[in-house]
Amino acid sequence: MLFLLVMTTAQLAGAQPTTRGVILDQTNLPLPGVRIEVYRGDQVIQSTVTGGDGSFELLPGAPADVVEAALEGFETTRVARSAAEKIVMAIARATDVTNVVASALTSSGSTMSTWGAR
């Protein structure tokens, strides 16, 4: 019995702690529903989503792991695992483009020819 107790204590002492953190917007409000992925190189090793209070918990991992946070309407943010306790996401810039095409042909006497002049 004493042997099991000593072995369990040794394993717990050597275990890496989990990473707990929170994701906030630029005004320090928590962001729920943020998709979080942990990368080791090019491979995703863990995925999770933030809770209603913007908090999340990651399994133990290597210091070289990268944490990526993504939410529609915000810039995707990548940080080192060591900096993942508090992630601040910036609001995304507008990227929509509108192309307007007009006919170069107009009929004479039409009011279309004067629209651009007024």
Side-chain angles (χ1 to χ4, degrees), residues 34-111:
V34 177
R35 187 190 83 243
I36 300 171
E37 293 181 337
V38 180
Y39 286 87
R40 185 167 293 151
D42 291 339
Q43 184 180 15
V44 176
I45 59 169
Q46 183 183 356
S47 293
T48 189
V49 176
T50 58
D53 60 353
S55 67
F56 63 93
E57 188 171 318
L58 301 177
L59 299 173
D65 292 346
V66 174
V67 178
E68 180 181 275
L71 181 65
E72 188 174 335
F74 290 86
E75 296 287 335
T76 299
T77 305
R78 292 176 67 100
V79 298
R81 179 184 279 276
S82 60
E85 287 86 21
K86 180 181 177 185
I87 299 173
V88 178
M89 296 184 70
I91 296 173
R93 295 174 296 218
T95 57
D96 288 340
V97 176
T98 303
N99 292 322
V100 179
V101 179
S103 173
L105 301 175
T106 60
S107 62
S108 70
S110 170
T111 59

Side-chain angles (χ1 to χ4, degrees), residues 6-24:
V6 169
M7 291 303 293
T8 304
T9 305
Q11 286 178 348
L12 289 176
Q16 296 176 342
T18 58
T19 300
R20 294 179 186 198
V22 65
I23 298 187
L24 307 169

